[in-house]
């Protein structure tokens, strides 16, 4: 499909896209307090609260407050059933001996069940209140500076009220194929495929080149076609993060680049920079800083749109009720057989920033939560790429999605250092929080603990990749060894081993 010249004009000089998707943080959790700096930010008044038991009028109210740690002591729940409780609160008069159920859905959602949900994921009394803590601007200087310098989106939501895997599928395929929960081992081993493919096939059909840059085992390898690319030593469509900075500096950047951060799932996220709650969030800030500064100080600054967003909210409080959504309209072969979700509602609001030389300083997108024209989700990225390159949509969701050229609001690029800063501040010092949890101690205390749901999925993904690069005669032994992984240290060692195997394949000369 040819690109409309009027569309190109709206995008000014933008010719390529870089997408950095981080993990598990809500809008209010990262940007809610920006409202005190810029009233246009749809953030916090400071009086918002939740109760451990929102069905009890006498239960103490826990108000939002300044974040007290850069590293969480636990991973708040964010599976589909967790998010329902967070949105609608726990069911009144439910059997206390059973896991909590959510109240019936209402619109708008009261957003009252975040602490009630967190109590199911934490063993330390009082730590559940951490989901109500929110970072203030001085604690996140990198993201805060970018939000002030470029475009911050008030109403960008995760694509469904659920966890990482289905939400990440939406940014690649505009659908999760009906998946609402973290996938099972059998689903990961089989590999995911979607009725209309992914944006990567659309790009190839249009003669555009793409690359997925990653640091460690990439979640995108859960998609069958992308797994083939990941393990194939002859293709260059999966590259290490070091290669991203090298490609930027040497003028080799692709038309579309997707960045997967370092999850370090097996090590309980100890050295991750994805901003997962069990990471030190400042490692994610450092990644954002490096990506921005590389682009800003390169030949690509004037023609690249950098999109920074988060896959889902991670169980952290947000006060804004998710709006209705356009269902995807494709197949639902991965739907949970225990319930039906028609994908007619978005998930919890997440942070999103668009950076470009054509984006005015202090741009805030959206001032009315009821304005459908300023509501965005992850499919807005695909809709934007498709619009700029003249590609056909994958599903009804992104065909109806608002696109991001709304952040292109200057006719002349910001090229001078005085117009767009060439460096961002360093991440915050330890003194910015009251008490910094030590992630090494958290891992040491849990290295013999059972695997978390996320660790099980990534260990299964490692097995799927290892099976694909190993002769079938050895498959039974690999599966047997995988079944012996029961502790976090085992998972860490196994995932690291498979990452090393695939890295060695990609580094070997052709034919060896």
């Amino acid at each position: 499909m040819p690109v409309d010249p009027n569309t190109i004009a709206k995008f000014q000089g933008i010719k390529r896209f870089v997408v950095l998707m981080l993990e598990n943080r809500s809008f209010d959790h990262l940007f809610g307090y920006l409202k005190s700096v810029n009233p246009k930010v749809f953030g916090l008044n400071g009086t918002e609260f939740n109760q451990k038991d929102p069905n009890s009028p006498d239960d103490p109210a826990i108000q939002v407050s300044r974040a007290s740690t850069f590293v969480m002591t636990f991973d708040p729940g964010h599976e589909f059933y967790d998010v329902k409780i967070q949105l609608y609160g726990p069911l009144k008069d439910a059997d206390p001996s059973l896991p909590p159920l959510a109240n019936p859905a209402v619109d708008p959602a009261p957003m009252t069940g975040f602490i009630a949900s967190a109590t199911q994921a934490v063993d330390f009394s009082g730590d559940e209140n951490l989901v109500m803590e929110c970072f203030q601007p001085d604690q996140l200087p990198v993201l805060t500076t970018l939000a002030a310098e470029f475009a911050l989106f008030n109403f960008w939501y995760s694509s469904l009220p659920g966890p990482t895997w289905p939400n990440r599928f939406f940014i690649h395929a505009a659908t999760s194929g009906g998946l609402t929960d973290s996938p099972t081992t059998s689903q990961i081993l089989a590999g995911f495929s979607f009725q209309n493919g992914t944006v990567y096939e659309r790009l190839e059909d249009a003669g555009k080149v793409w690359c997925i840059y990653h640091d460690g085992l990439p979640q995108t390898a859960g998609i069958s076609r992308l797994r083939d690319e990941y393990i194939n030593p002859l293709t260059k469509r999966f590259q290490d993060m070091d290669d991203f900075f090298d490609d930027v500096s040497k003028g080799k950047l692709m038309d579309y680049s997707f960045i997967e951060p370092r999850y370090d799932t097996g090590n309980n996220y100890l050295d991750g920079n994805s901003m997962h709650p069990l990471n030190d969030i400042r490692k994610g800030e450092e990644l954002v800083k490096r990506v921005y500064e590389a682009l800003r100080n390169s030949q690509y600054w004037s023609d690249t749109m950098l999109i920074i967003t988060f896959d889902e909210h991670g169980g952290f409080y947000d006060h804004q009720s998710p709006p209705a959504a356009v269902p995807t309209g494709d197949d639902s072969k991965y739907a949970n057989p225990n319930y039906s979700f028609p994908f007619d509602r978005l998930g919890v609001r997440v942070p999103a920033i668009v950076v470009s030389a054509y984006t005015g300083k202090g741009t805030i997108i959206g001032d009315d939560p009821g304005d459908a024209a300023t509501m965005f989700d992850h499919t807005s990225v695909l809709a934007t790429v498709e619009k700029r390159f003249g590609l056909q949509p994958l599903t009804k969701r992104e065909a109806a999605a608002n696109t991001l050229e709304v952040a292109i609001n200057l006719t002349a690029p910001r090229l001078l250092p005085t117009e767009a800063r060439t460096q961002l501040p360093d991440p915050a010092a330890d003194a910015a929080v009251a008490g910094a949890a030590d992630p090494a101690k958290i891992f040491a205390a849990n290295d013999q603990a059972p695997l978390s749901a996320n660790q099980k999925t990534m260990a299964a993904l490692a097995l799927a990749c290892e099976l694909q690069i190993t002769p079938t005669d050895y498959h039974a032994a690999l599966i047997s060894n995988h079944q012996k992984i029961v502790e976090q240290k085992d998972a860490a060692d196994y995932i690291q081993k498979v990452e090393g195997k695939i890295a060695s394949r990609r580094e070997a000369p052709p034919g060896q």
Side-chain angles (χ1 to χ4, degrees), residues 356-376:
S356 84
Y358 292 90
T359 301
K361 183 175 181 177
T363 298
I364 303 293
I365 306 295
D367 57 12
D368 178 0
D371 182 3
T374 56
M375 291 182 185
F376 300 84

Side-chain angles (χ1 to χ4, degrees), residues 43-65:
L44 298 165
N45 293 319
T47 59
E48 295 85 356
F49 69 92
N50 263 203
Q51 298 165 288
K52 188 172 182 179
D53 181 7
N55 295 314
S56 174
D58 298 327
D59 200 54
I62 306 299
Q63 288 190 346
V64 294
S65 60

Side-chain angles (χ1 to χ4, degrees), residues 290-310:
R290 290 189 67 202
V291 169
Y292 169 80
E293 290 179 357
L295 290 170
R296 174 63 185 94
N297 298 292
S298 75
Q299 68 188 66
Y300 295 113
W301 171 243
S302 62
D303 68 6
T304 300
M305 177 184 283
L306 169 62
I307 303 163
I308 302 168
T309 190
F310 290 71

Side-chain angles (χ1 to χ4, degrees), residues 237-511:
R237 289 178 172 142
F238 277 79
Q239 296 291 320
D240 295 334
M241 270 307 299
D242 288 344
D243 295 314
F244 170 78
F245 298 109
D246 193 53
D247 287 350
V248 171
S249 67
K250 294 182 178 179
K252 298 179 181 180
L253 196 61
M254 309 293 186
D255 299 303
Y256 182 80
S257 301
F258 185 84
I259 296 175
E260 288 207 58
R262 182 172 64 253
Y263 305 117
D264 200 31
T265 311
N267 283 301
N268 207 29
Y269 308 92
L270 174 64
D271 196 37
N273 61 11
S274 69
M275 293 201 185
H276 185 280
L278 296 177
N279 295 163
D280 186 323
I281 197 170
R282 294 172 296 179
K283 292 182 179 180
E285 283 253 292
E286 181 62 33
L287 174 63
V288 172
K289 173 182 167 72
R290 290 189 67 202
V291 169
Y292 169 80
E293 290 179 357
L295 290 170
R296 174 63 185 94
N297 298 292
S298 75
Q299 68 188 66
Y300 295 113
W301 171 243
S302 62
D303 68 6
T304 300
M305 177 184 283
L306 169 62
I307 303 163
I308 302 168
T309 190
F310 290 71
D311 51 19
E312 40 96 359
H313 75 297
F316 289 105
Y317 175 76
D318 194 85
H319 79 276
Q320 178 60 31
S321 172
V326 175
T328 59
D330 64 328
D331 64 48
S332 56
K333 57 185 172 182
Y334 305 118
N336 191 316
N338 297 313
Y339 57 81
S340 175
F341 177 63
F343 290 84
D344 58 355
R345 189 157 301 278
L346 297 177
V348 177
R349 196 169 54 142
V350 294
I353 298 171
V354 165
V355 174
S356 84
Y358 292 90
T359 301
K361 183 175 181 177
T363 298
I364 303 293
I365 306 295
D367 57 12
D368 178 0
D371 182 3
T374 56
M375 291 182 185
F376 300 84
D377 81 315
H378 302 327
T379 65
S380 293
V381 174
L382 303 189
T384 303
V385 172
E386 290 158 0
K387 189 173 185 178
R388 175 59 185 85
F389 293 147
L391 314 179
Q392 292 292 334
L394 294 156
T395 70
K396 293 180 180 178
R397 171 71 69 85
E398 107 269 24
N402 293 315
T403 50
L404 304 180
E405 76 273 17
V406 65
I408 305 299
N409 51 11
L410 299 177
T411 56
R414 299 163 60 185
L415 300 179
L416 298 177
T418 54
E419 296 172 329
R421 57 193 302 158
T422 58
Q423 288 186 306
L424 295 175
D426 292 330
D430 289 346
V433 297
D438 184 346
K441 289 182 179 179
I442 294 173
F443 178 67
N446 291 291
D447 62 356
Q448 293 182 316
L451 301 186
S452 68
N454 286 340
Q455 289 169 320
K456 289 178 181 177
T457 57
M458 293 306 282
L461 181 57
L463 174 61
C465 293
E466 188 175 32
L467 289 172
Q468 202 153 328
I469 62 174
T470 306
T472 55
D473 289 350
Y474 297 92
H475 283 193
L478 292 179
I479 293 170
S480 176
N481 289 336
H482 177 266
Q483 291 170 343
K484 297 174 185 176
I485 298 175
V486 295
E487 296 177 351
Q488 294 186 8
K489 180 66 165 61
D490 300 330
D493 292 343
Y494 177 64
I495 293 170
Q496 186 174 9
K497 182 193 79 170
V498 175
E499 289 172 352
K501 276 189 174 183
I502 294 174
S504 296
R505 282 169 55 88
R506 285 158 53 172
E507 292 169 0

